[in-house]
Amino acid sequence: MDVMGDKATLFETGRFVQPSSREDTDTPDEAGEIADEAAEELRQRLAAEAGDVEAMSVLGAMLLRRGDLDGAEPHLRAATAAGDRAAANNLGVLLHQRGYADEAAGWWRIAAVAGSAAAAHALGRHHRERGDEPAAEYWLRQAAEQGHTLGAYALADLLEHRGDAGAEKWMRVAAERGHREAAYRLARALDRKAAREAGGDDGVQVLDEAEQWYRQAAARGHRRAALHLGTILEKRGELKEAGRWYLTSAKDGEARAACALGFLLRDAGDTENAAVWWLRAAQDGDGNAANALGALHAERGETQTAERWYRAAMDAGDVNGAYNLGLLCAEQGRTAQAEQWYRRAAYAGHREAANALAILLLRGGDETGAEPWFSKAAEAGSVDAAFNLGILHAGRGEEQAALRWYERAAAAGHTEAALQVGMARLRDGDEQEAERHLRCAAGGGSAEAAYRLATVLDARRPPEPAHELGEPVHRRSECEEWYERAASQGHRRAQVRVGMLAAARGDVAEAARWYREAAEAGSRNGAFNLGLLLAREGSEPEAAVWWTRAADAGHGRAALRLALVYARRGELAEGQRWADRAVALGPRSVAERAARLRDALRQELSA
């Protein structure tokens, strides 16, 4: 039992003595304390021998605390026989320690009926250990209502086990009276409640209260409370204080705190000390820390050491260890071993391992074997797997099935999936839904989505309003912003379009910059438009260079322009060659003009 006496009674008499476990003392203060204890025991013994009931009870309690059960029992029995409730409680404790639980319960009942809260608590725990929860609740409630802290905590624990809503009230009572574990458990309950109410003001207030209780428990040396307090502070960005609490918890032996401290140090750039704490946590059986050590060694190219730590993580029950082993083997080209580890993690429910296994099988040509693993990963919440299923169905021409998976991945924030849904909606003519998905994808960084969104907005843009003198007034539109965002991400068609918009407003230098960037990236339209711009500026030789590049890439109008350039120069054979190329490339209007030019050049050559 947690207590060995009616502490309230003993404190009230001023005769409560703290036990000492020291065998030898050297300092004068310690020697004095021992002498005082001995003197107090002698005084109580003399009073007890003279028939003082209270002295018998106190002496019995002192001997019981020291572990002298044989010496304590006669004094406690004598005091109990004289009606001392504290002695009855302590006699119950003594008998319980001797293994006579039923006889102990009898004396606890006598003391509890006489008003001993400590005895009521002990009796309640006795009944709970035997599965008699109604009797346990009755006596624990008696103890709690009399202000017994341990009774309040034990009652809260019993009610929480049953799912009773009254558990929080008594846990709070125990916590307010300084019970460390109660403060921690109350904080955990509030923390979970805050997670359920995340996003609202109520959730924030509940989390603030949880933090206060974590602080109280942590300040009293509760290492898990210190860990959770550090987690709250880290999420809030208060890294320095979070690190202090992680350190406190880690020094007390909490492996998870040592691991978290390692990540905090790594993020601060101190990988050397991070490795020290990860090593400490991994040696204490923390799989996450073992994985972190594995990743650290893998980054350094120390694959054998990395593999050893990944195996340690797996042995610690962390399925990420098997997944990471799969990744390591895949990077080394050890496909068979990678598949083995991926399967092990996937069968244990690791969704990303299931997705990786499916990709591995698909690359090996086993589409039939890959699909169930994609499905398993997607159903477990893997966004990438849902997207991959979309690709799989699209490759078979199963557009509706593909769209369902794309929509599922897009709803979870997958950028490329949102792009695919947007493009599908455009094909269906649902411009509103298309725009919504394209905005999501573009906002997520997809250059293609930004370009397609810009084209949607561009198509519905009204004509530029005219100036008073009849000149158009340029106003920067939203579609231009999206074109520019796509262009800045290297999207060639967007770069050409931004160049065209710049040319339309007379900004030749800006237009040339974008055309050149697109052309150098391989855009034949960019090369053609750059050639037009240079020709207008009087740089036809350089223009011909870019038209040649565009024509070689299959641009019919560029080939026609080259034919005209060479015809003007009198190089009729070269002009005819490019005219032939323009006829072959098209489009129809270009081919017709090129054919007429070719025929004229042929007549000129044969004249």
Side-chain angles (χ1 to χ4, degrees):
M1 290 296 152
D2 291 320
V3 290
M4 293 183 290
D6 190 331
K7 292 187 177 182
T9 302
L10 294 177
F11 270 119
E12 286 166 7
T13 63
R15 302 170 77 179
F16 178 77
V17 180
Q18 289 286 351
S20 173
S21 60
R22 295 183 294 272
E23 296 178 1
D24 298 305
T25 55
D26 295 322
T27 65
D29 288 343
E30 291 172 340
E33 287 176 10
I34 293 175
D36 289 344
E37 289 175 6
E40 175 65 14
E41 182 180 336
L42 178 59
R43 191 172 69 82
Q44 296 292 349
R45 189 178 296 277
L46 291 173
E49 290 173 355
D52 188 324
V53 174
E54 185 177 357
M56 295 176 193
S57 178
V58 173
L59 179 59
M62 291 175 69
L63 295 171
L64 179 60
R65 290 175 192 278
R66 189 189 300 162
D68 184 0
L69 304 188
D70 291 336
E73 185 170 354
H75 297 292
L76 292 174
R77 285 191 179 276
T80 299
D84 190 293
R85 70 179 189 187
N89 174 52
N90 285 333
L91 181 57
V93 172
L94 185 148
L95 292 168
H96 187 272
Q97 289 183 15
R98 288 190 185 278
Y100 304 125
D102 291 335
E103 187 180 352
W107 290 111
W108 282 329
R109 180 179 295 275
I110 291 170
V113 170
S116 172
H121 165 247
L123 186 57
R125 289 188 58 177
H126 168 80
H127 284 296
R128 187 176 183 189
E129 287 168 2
R130 276 153 180 71
D132 187 352
E133 290 196 359
E137 181 181 350
Y138 174 81
W139 288 110
L140 291 175
R141 195 175 292 277
Q142 292 292 318
E145 289 175 350
Q146 290 181 65
H148 194 277
T149 302
L150 293 174
Y153 174 72
L155 176 60
D157 184 65
L158 175 64
L159 295 174
E160 187 175 84
H161 173 72
R162 290 212 309 250
D164 193 308
E168 184 178 330
K169 169 194 168 183
W170 289 108
M171 197 69 78
R172 189 180 296 276
V173 167
E176 288 171 348
R177 292 174 183 166
H179 194 287
R180 187 179 72 175
E181 186 67 21
Y184 169 71
R185 289 179 63 176
L186 177 60
R188 292 293 296 140
L190 292 169
D191 204 347
R192 290 189 290 269
K193 184 178 179 182
R196 292 193 297 270
E197 299 176 1
D201 291 339
D202 290 343
V204 173
Q205 291 177 359
V206 172
L207 185 60
D208 287 343
E209 186 182 0
E211 180 184 341
Q212 293 172 10
W213 289 114
Y214 279 137
R215 283 188 182 278
Q216 179 170 311
R220 292 175 176 270
H222 197 294
R223 67 187 191 188
R224 283 174 294 164
L227 166 66
H228 288 289
L229 177 57
T231 302
I232 290 175
L233 293 166
E234 183 180 0
K235 287 179 181 177
R236 206 160 60 208
E238 298 177 20
L239 303 184
K240 190 173 181 180
E241 188 180 359
R244 287 201 300 270
W245 285 111
Y246 283 150
L247 180 61
T248 298
S249 180
K251 285 182 175 178
D252 286 341
E254 181 60 51
R256 290 176 297 168
C259 181
L261 180 58
F263 281 111
L264 210 60
L265 290 166
R266 182 205 62 182
D267 293 343
D270 188 357
T271 54
E272 185 176 343
N273 280 314
V276 170
W277 286 105
W278 282 334
L279 178 61
R280 182 168 175 173
Q283 288 172 338
D284 286 340
D286 189 283
N288 195 23
N291 272 314
L293 281 171
L296 185 64
H297 287 288
E299 288 172 7
R300 295 172 178 171
E302 301 165 355
T303 54
Q304 288 185 339
T305 307
E307 185 170 339
R308 179 168 61 84
W309 282 115
Y310 287 149
R311 287 179 182 274
M314 190 172 57
D315 292 341
D318 192 327
V319 71
N320 285 314
Y323 174 59
N324 287 332
L325 276 168
L327 291 175
L328 193 67
C329 292
E331 288 173 3
Q332 296 173 338
R334 296 154 58 192
T335 306
Q337 291 93 330
E339 181 180 339
Q340 170 194 343
W341 293 117
Y342 284 150
R343 281 189 186 277
R344 181 163 180 172
Y347 278 122
H350 196 293
R351 64 189 188 191
E352 298 310 324
N355 181 55
L357 174 60
I359 292 171
L360 201 67
L361 293 171
L362 192 61
R363 286 175 178 168
D366 186 4
E367 184 177 312
T368 304
E371 186 173 355
W373 285 112
F374 276 137
S375 297
K376 185 174 182 179
E379 294 298 342
S382 171
V383 180
D384 288 336
F387 177 67
N388 289 335
L389 274 171
I391 294 174
L392 199 66
H393 286 290
R396 298 172 184 164
E398 300 165 358
E399 299 298 333
Q400 289 304 311
L403 183 58
R404 284 197 299 273
W405 286 110
Y406 284 146
E407 286 177 331
R408 183 164 177 172
H414 196 287
T415 298
E416 289 303 311
L419 169 62
Q420 294 300 323
V421 175
M423 291 168 62
R425 294 304 179 207
L426 276 179
R427 289 193 295 270
D428 295 340
D430 189 349
E431 191 174 292
Q432 186 175 358
E433 273 298 293
E435 181 183 341
R436 183 172 72 83
H437 283 94
L438 290 174
R439 283 188 183 277
C440 290
S446 170
E448 181 67 23
Y451 171 73
R452 290 182 179 273
L453 174 60
T455 61
V456 169
L457 299 172
D458 203 358
R460 69 167 77 129
R461 185 173 58 160
E464 292 284 352
H467 188 266
E468 292 178 355
L469 299 179
E471 297 177 356
V473 177
H474 178 75
R475 293 179 181 174
R476 185 176 175 80
S477 62
E478 186 187 3
C479 75
E480 289 183 68
E481 294 176 1
W482 286 112
Y483 277 135
E484 287 183 7
R485 180 179 292 194
S488 64
Q489 292 176 260
H491 194 286
R492 294 182 299 180
R493 284 177 294 170
Q495 289 169 342
V496 173
R497 184 60 182 150
V498 172
M500 292 171 66
L501 291 170
R505 62 176 180 265
D507 191 343
V508 176
E510 183 73 359
R513 181 175 75 85
W514 285 112
Y515 287 151
R516 189 178 299 277
E517 195 165 331
E520 289 175 348
S523 168
R524 63 189 186 185
N525 284 329
F528 175 71
N529 287 357
L530 180 58
L532 289 178
L533 205 64
L534 291 167
R536 288 171 190 162
E537 294 296 310
S539 301
E540 190 174 85
E542 188 181 354
V545 172
W546 289 107
W547 283 334
T548 301
R549 182 180 290 194
D552 287 342
H555 199 287
R557 291 179 64 195
L560 178 58
R561 286 279 177 172
L562 284 169
L564 291 169
V565 167
Y566 285 109
R568 284 197 300 271
R569 292 178 183 174
E571 299 179 30
L572 304 183
E574 188 68 10
Q576 185 179 340
R577 186 176 73 82
W578 282 112
D580 283 337
R581 185 72 188 278
V583 170
L585 293 173
R588 183 175 179 180
S589 59
V590 170
E592 290 173 353
R593 291 177 60 196
R596 290 194 296 270
L597 177 60
R598 179 190 61 189
D599 293 342
L601 291 172
R602 186 175 295 157
Q603 290 177 4
E604 187 72 22
L605 283 168
S606 61

